[in-house]
Amino acid sequence: MSAEASWPGIIEAYRGFMPVGERTPIITLREGNTPLLAAPALQERIGLPIPLYLKCEGANPTGSFKDRGMTVAVSKALEERQQAVMCASTGNTAASAAAYAARAGIDCIVVLPIRYIAMGKLAQSVMHGAKVIAIEGNFDDAFRIVVEITSKYPVQLVNSINPHRIEGQKSGAFEICDRVGNAPAYHAIPVGNAGNITAYWKGYREYHEAGRSRRLPKVLGFQAERAAPIVRGEPVADPQTIATAIKIGNPASWKGAVAARDESGGLIETVTDEEILEAYKMLASIEGLFVEPASAACVAGVAKLVREGYFVRELQAGVPEDACVACILTGHGLKDPDCAIQAAQEPVSVEASAEAVVDLLRLKEPVSSRA
Ligand code: F0G
């Protein structure tokens, strides 16, 4: 075996499904192959009547699912001899674009709604040497700006309206099917700019057509309540949510999300910030999974559907015996440490002595060790 890990990254792992040829230079950080964890304790806590699986996308090289799309988008940009890539971002796309551009040796420009970027994500873009341009506006403003600029100047857009991003991100669906031995009956996912829900649905369909899975999942998408344009059926001018990654009022892949919902017989619903925070804490404290708030939105959504009786109705309607729910945990919790500190209890501090710590913990010595 070579000195590098045996997993080759998603392009080589799924080459037959990827838009690459022999002359495409493959820029990879060996993204993909992320854990799919069974979560029986969380399943029981929320009362879900079928198994729950969690796809830990925070385990990707830059800590989010964006790396799956970026390996393809940046490889293709290099093949097309582009000198620079550009994106608008709520933070993760920027971090990923910056990392892959650095590895490719090309420039990266990111346009960010500066007041709403989680600190970890900004740190990544800066460290990877991207030109970071902060705007006084939201993601939708940033997106409008980069679309305009990349249509006029020789800079490759790497937001998810670039089809190569979708091609890469669909690999998440392949991995789930490969691990489960079939597509899950339900696929739960947070929805922001709607590229990922579009990509997963494409992946599930392609795998099904290729005979690598025996069914298609119902796609369950979740938007934050005050940033839910697809649920409302119209753009939201001033989206608000604690989950800054999905604070988006006019998603670029709106049509793709609606197609995934309708073609799969699924749904797209809202979850409140309170529900997101509850799921965020449960994932960390019950399953040992520290994810960012946007990622927790899909678990919050599944919990809400349980409360509304959705899965009981589905079971009555004849859900197959091997049915399960796969939740896509899109990004790592370390991306947004401020949110965690605010959500959790502040640590208590005491003087630096063993006695003070024992006192605080109210520890009692075992009876046998007493004199
Ligand atoms: N979860 C996380 C952690 C994200 O960063 C995003 C999107 C989503 C979910 C939603 O995915 O946009 O494909 O529907 N982040 C983008 C960004 C917008 O700029 O990093 P989507």
Side-chain angles (χ1 to χ4, degrees), residues 65 160 166 169 187 189-190 193-201 328 330:
F65 70 95
S160 57
I166 303 292
Q169 282 174 211
H187 170 91
I189 188 165
N193 211 25
N196 213 26
I197 189 172
T198 303
Y200 266 95
W201 181 236
I328 310 304
T330 47

Side-chain angles (χ1 to χ4, degrees), residues 11 20 32 38 49 67 79 91 129 158 163 188 207 222 238 241 262 271 283 323 346 354:
I11 294 180
V20 294
D67 296 344
E79 181 181 346
V158 291
Y207 238 39
F222 298 98
D238 185 22
T241 171
D262 295 347
V271 284
L283 279 160
E346 289 258 341

Side-chain angles (χ1 to χ4, degrees), residues 15-367:
R15 200 170 239 278
F17 292 89
M18 293 295 156
V20 294
E22 268 169 28
R23 274 182 307 192
T24 314
I26 306 300
I27 304 302
T28 181
L29 292 165
R30 314 241 165 189
E31 59 296 311
N33 196 26
T34 56
L36 182 72
L37 298 180
L42 183 58
Q43 178 200 335
E44 193 184 327
R45 171 70 76 91
I46 65 177
L48 181 67
I50 55 178
L52 176 64
Y53 287 94
L54 305 172
K55 180 82 169 147
C56 304
E57 289 291 279
N60 276 300
T62 77
S64 87
F65 70 95
K66 305 287 182 178
D67 296 344
R68 295 178 182 278
M70 214 51 81
T71 181
V72 181
V74 172
S75 296
K76 293 302 281 186
L78 213 60
E79 181 181 346
E80 291 153 17
R81 302 193 187 287
Q82 301 275 355
Q83 292 300 308
V85 294
M86 184 175 202
C87 64
S89 182
T90 56
N92 280 327
T93 299
S96 185
Y100 282 80
R103 194 153 168 94
I106 59 177
D107 289 336
C108 179
I109 309 153
V110 303
V111 181
L112 308 174
I114 196 63
R115 279 187 292 142
Y116 308 112
I117 294 290
M119 200 48 74
K121 304 176 187 180
L122 183 59
Q124 288 178 290
S125 284
V126 173
M127 278 303 291
H128 292 306
K131 289 195 181 74
V132 176
I133 299 172
I135 58 155
E136 282 295 329
N138 60 26
F139 171 84
D140 302 291
D141 299 318
F143 186 70
R144 185 173 32 79
I145 291 166
V146 299
V147 168
E148 186 180 330
I149 291 173
T150 54
S151 71
K152 289 186 192 151
Y153 298 92
V155 182
Q156 179 65 57
L157 182 70
V158 291
N159 279 105
S160 57
I161 56 169
N162 177 332
H164 298 134
R165 284 275 314 281
I166 303 292
E167 293 302 309
Q169 282 174 211
K170 74 186 181 190
S171 63
F174 300 165
E175 288 179 17
I176 294 175
C177 293
D178 288 344
R179 299 298 178 285
V180 175
N182 199 354
Y186 303 92
H187 170 91
I189 188 165
V191 177
N193 211 25
N196 213 26
I197 189 172
T198 303
Y200 266 95
W201 181 236
K202 186 167 198 282
Y204 284 122
R205 275 184 298 136
E206 286 184 9
Y207 238 39
H208 189 244
E209 276 158 31
R212 300 234 198 155
S213 66
R214 298 182 306 284
R215 67 165 162 240
L216 290 167
K218 290 192 177 182
V219 176
L220 314 174
F222 298 98
Q223 299 195 292
E225 189 175 46
R226 291 173 299 148
I230 298 173
V231 180
R232 310 268 174 251
E234 58 183 10
V236 174
D238 185 22
Q240 295 296 337
T241 171
I242 189 166
T244 53
I246 53 171
K247 190 172 178 319
I248 293 175
N250 192 9
S253 298
W254 191 315
K255 284 192 186 135
V258 168
R261 177 191 69 193
D262 295 347
E263 290 170 22
S264 76
L267 50 83
I268 300 180
E269 286 211 359
T270 61
V271 284
T272 64
D273 278 5
E274 291 69 35
E275 289 165 334
I276 289 173
L277 282 175
E278 198 193 345
Y280 175 68
K281 291 184 201 168
M282 281 196 294
L283 279 160
S285 62
I286 300 175
E287 294 295 350
L289 291 172
F290 185 25
V291 302
E292 61 175 289
S295 308
C298 63
V299 170
V302 170
K304 178 180 166 179
L305 292 183
V306 168
R307 291 196 300 275
E308 292 175 353
Y310 173 84
F311 292 102
V312 170
R313 287 195 299 279
E314 290 284 297
L315 285 169
Q316 282 163 355
V319 164
E321 256 173 40
D322 64 341
C324 65
V325 179
C327 283
I328 310 304
L329 303 180
T330 47
H332 201 288
L334 288 172
K335 295 268 190 180
D336 193 354
D338 298 329
C339 183
I341 297 295
Q342 275 165 31
Q345 277 183 335
E346 289 258 341
V348 185
S349 69
V350 294
E351 69 168 61
S353 75
E355 288 78 11
V357 175
V358 167
D359 247 19
L360 184 78
L361 294 172
R362 300 208 180 109
L363 292 180
K364 291 200 176 71
E365 281 181 51
V367 177

